[in-house]
Amino acid sequence: MADKFDLIVIGAGPGGYVAAIRAAQLGLKTACVEKWIDKEGKTVHGGTCLNVGCIPSKALLEASHKFVEAQHDFDDMGIQAGDVSMDVKKMMARKDKIVKNLTGGIAGLFKANGVTALEGAGKVLSSKQVEVSKDGEKTVYEADNIVIASGSVPVEIPPTPLTEGLIVDSTGALEFDETPKRLGVIGAGVIGLELGSVWNRLGSEVTVLEAMDSFLPMVDQAVAKETQKLLKKQGLDIKLGARVTGSEIKDDEVVVKYADSEGDKEITFDKLIVCVGRRPYTQGLLGDDAGVKLDERGFIFVDDHCRTSVPGVYAIGDVVRGPMLAHKASEEGIMVADIVAGHKAEMNYDAIPSVIYTFPEVAWVGMNEQEAKAAGIEVKSGSFPFAASGRAMANNATEGMAKVITDAETDRVLGMHIVGQHAGEMIAQGVIAMEFGSSAEDLALTCYAHPTMSEAVHEAALAVDGHAIHMANRKKRK
Ligand code: FAD
Ligand code: AMP
């Protein structure tokens, strides 16, 4: 029998590595098991987020956005940049370097905080035993507590089986070494829109096939409609109500069959990205006697404090219910580490922000107007267009709007939905407002720096009562 720990975490993504660091900071003897192997055959930390998710996708989004700016916006500002071209291999090399820096940094953080990094695949044998296997060797470790943070993997669908270099998932779409001429994307969700945007900006003709009739149903429909309009203007051909039913590879091209309200259709692409969601990953994770229950969709079943069906065993992040987001995984990791260390801890699942890193960004927290109304709440809302913002004009970023949704009776902020440059940064205001139970009036009475994009949030809060300053006022102040 090998070492005994207070806590063993399985998985070193943003859920697991954060839980392990927090636990060690609180004085627990902690180990974190990871099985991810990079191209050089080394174990790497950071999970989906750092290796093939949040970070590499943002590196490509930023580079491709700058490419578009250099081509289309510089001239207007008086900048003569000459012929602008994109070296895709160099862009990819920069992305890989960022990933390497960050994943390597976690090993450093583990060392600094005294977390023992265990390399290999972890398996829960019982509430107090984890088996770690690597290269055919198995070691069993004892632990008073276990946190499962095994994450998720892309969903594959039978009509479009992955085919090397032609039909790929999100990971494959982060690795193209040249810009495809005709690119298909299945799924107009967050990942599909981000990856579609990257390659559209670099010159691909991008068609997004989405089975649902509605666009971004989780986003306030005023904001979603504006987003759809802006992405269409950029050249993304988003076909709603288009369900992919089959595919065929012909002469190194992908022929995709789909059905919409007019009947069966076909469309040919040079490459196809399948972005139809992610599923919880539990392969090889639970021994026969582990006793950890899954729910009907394959997620590990947990309560509000991430406790599984087995006392002392917790699960966090993408492998449990809730939005599949890195920051949600990390916050759950902190909550669980605190609980294991004997502290009281809670998560506020109502105030988790989401961001789509297109240009402009789309960001939201809490309810949208349609959801609030459907829940029987009497709603008030205020909106402000970036077209009326001085800073947005100076930034050449006048597209989009900010919207604040409140309870008409109490004025309490129920949600904030924004499409605009830096929306992902601005949404923190909505998150803090909701965490502190603020009213729209609290935001309206707050002094915002001028000139900032955030002033649009201030004006939207003022607009809840019809008193936006830089917009035609509809109401007289009582
Ligand atoms: P993961 O990050 O999936 O990590 C799980 C880890 O556990 C992995 O390293 C895996 O190897 C390891 N593991 C699994 N089983 C075992 C085992 N038995 N033994 C040992 N190790 C094991 N989210 C955002 O918030 N913002 C974004 O901008 C964003 N962009 C994204 C872009 C893309 C293209 C993708 C694919 C995802 C994106 N996400 C984003 C989602 C985000 O990556 C996930 O929500 C997040 O990584 C989940 O964290 P996790 O710790 O639960 O799981
Ligand atoms: P998300 O879960 O946010 O990543 O989004 C995935 C999207 O893929 C959802 O909007 C689904 O409706 C969409 N989708 C799933 N299966 C298909 C399909 N066969 N054809 C087209 N769209 C699909």
Side-chain angles (χ1 to χ4, degrees):
M1 184 71 72
D3 280 359
K4 181 170 187 281
F5 293 92
D6 296 325
L7 175 68
I8 295 182
V9 181
I10 301 178
Y17 84 75
V18 169
I21 290 173
R22 176 72 155 212
Q25 286 171 346
L26 295 172
L28 300 175
K29 187 179 176 197
T30 306
C32 187
V33 192
E34 177 55 65
K35 68 170 185 173
W36 195 298
I37 305 287
D38 70 6
K39 285 178 193 152
E40 291 155 19
K42 290 198 191 108
T43 303
V44 281
H45 301 115
T48 303
C49 171
L50 296 196
N51 288 290
V52 293
C54 321
I55 297 299
S57 59
K58 265 81 256 177
L60 301 189
L61 280 156
E62 194 61 32
S64 58
H65 178 59
K66 283 198 159 54
F67 179 58
V68 169
E69 278 191 319
Q71 284 174 303
H72 303 295
D73 296 349
F74 278 13
D75 187 55
D76 186 39
M77 294 181 173
I79 305 168
Q80 304 295 317
D83 281 344
V84 179
S85 61
M86 171 54 88
D87 180 338
V88 172
K89 290 191 179 70
K90 200 163 174 184
M91 174 183 77
M92 290 295 177
R94 171 183 176 268
K95 174 213 54 161
D96 292 341
K97 195 169 156 199
I98 294 167
V99 168
K100 204 166 183 180
N101 273 344
L102 284 169
T103 52
I106 292 174
L109 288 173
F110 276 177
K111 223 176 196 170
N113 285 285
V115 174
T116 303
L118 300 174
E119 295 184 3
K123 186 187 227 176
V124 180
L125 297 182
S126 71
S127 68
K128 302 236 178 285
Q129 284 185 321
V130 174
E131 175 193 274
V132 178
S133 42
K134 194 178 183 212
D135 304 329
E137 274 196 30
K138 294 182 178 173
T139 313
V140 177
Y141 295 90
E142 297 247 321
D144 286 336
N145 297 276
I146 297 169
V147 174
I148 299 169
S150 53
S152 63
V153 289
V155 168
E156 289 178 37
I157 50 173
T160 52
L162 298 190
T163 309
E164 178 78 33
L166 289 173
I167 304 181
V168 300
D169 58 14
S170 59
T171 302
L174 295 168
E175 298 279 323
F176 293 160
D177 54 10
E178 57 183 19
T179 305
K181 190 168 174 312
R182 296 160 302 173
L183 176 67
V185 178
I186 311 181
V190 176
I191 296 175
L193 292 177
E194 289 187 3
L195 293 173
S197 289
V198 166
W199 295 106
N200 173 54
R201 292 166 185 177
L202 298 184
S204 296
E205 289 160 24
V206 177
T207 306
V208 183
L209 300 167
E210 168 55 57
M212 283 189 303
D213 291 320
S214 57
F215 182 66
L216 297 178
M218 60 291 201
V219 179
D220 189 275
Q221 283 306 288
V223 171
K225 281 207 170 68
E226 180 74 7
T227 307
Q228 193 179 354
K229 193 181 83 193
L230 294 173
L231 293 178
K232 189 176 171 197
K233 203 169 115 192
Q234 290 168 19
L236 281 183
D237 181 6
I238 301 169
K239 296 188 191 300
L240 299 178
R243 174 168 292 281
V244 172
T245 54
S247 64
E248 212 181 317
I249 307 289
K250 271 191 203 159
D251 302 329
D252 259 9
E253 293 180 335
V254 188
V255 181
V256 172
K257 298 178 201 323
Y258 68 96
D260 66 13
S261 57
E262 293 165 356
D264 293 339
K265 295 189 176 162
E266 267 188 18
I267 183 165
T268 303
F269 301 114
D270 297 302
K271 286 191 197 296
L272 177 70
I273 315 175
V274 183
C275 294
V276 294
R278 297 181 61 82
R279 62 178 172 80
Y281 180 69
T282 53
Q283 198 180 311
L285 177 75
L286 303 170
D288 292 341
D289 300 324
V292 174
K293 290 206 174 84
L294 306 185
D295 71 15
E296 64 286 353
R297 294 188 303 150
F299 290 91
I300 293 181
F301 176 79
V302 288
D303 68 8
D304 286 350
H305 292 92
C306 292
R307 295 185 182 99
T308 69
S309 49
V310 176
V313 181
Y314 301 78
I316 59 172
D318 280 10
V319 79
V320 305
R321 82 287 173 265
M324 288 183 161
L325 293 168
H327 43 281
K328 175 261 191 186
S330 298
E331 288 308 310
E332 286 180 334
I334 287 176
M335 171 178 74
V336 163
D338 285 358
I339 292 171
V340 171
H343 302 291
K344 280 216 165 91
E346 296 283 338
M347 271 280 291
N348 179 1
Y349 285 96
D350 292 333
I352 298 173
S354 297
V355 184
I356 311 176
Y357 295 84
T358 44
F359 189 88
E361 292 174 355
V362 187
W364 67 99
V365 60
M367 285 194 239
N368 62 47
E369 187 164 343
Q370 299 74 38
E371 283 167 345
K373 283 183 174 159
I377 302 170
E378 204 188 319
V379 177
K380 265 186 162 185
S381 71
S383 302
F384 191 80
F386 285 102
S389 151
R391 182 57 192 269
M393 284 179 215
N395 287 5
N396 213 358
T398 50
E399 291 172 329
M401 61 186 283
K403 181 166 176 179
V404 173
I405 297 117
T406 65
D407 184 321
E409 206 179 317
T410 62
D411 196 39
R412 196 175 170 136
V413 176
L414 299 173
M416 190 181 283
H417 293 237
I418 308 173
V419 52
Q421 186 191 41
H422 306 318
E425 306 288 339
M426 281 184 271
I427 202 63
Q429 300 166 58
V431 179
I432 292 169
M434 288 183 64
E435 278 289 345
F436 284 75
S438 307
S439 60
E441 190 181 26
D442 290 326
L443 289 176
L445 291 173
T446 301
C447 183
Y448 280 72
H450 174 75
T452 53
M453 296 296 280
S454 293
E455 285 172 300
V457 170
H458 189 210
E459 292 274 13
L462 280 159
V464 170
D465 240 355
H467 298 129
I469 300 295
H470 295 90
M471 213 168 48
N473 283 327
R474 276 163 281 136
K475 282 188 195 159
K476 284 220 161 75
R477 184 143 204 127
K478 281 179 221 136

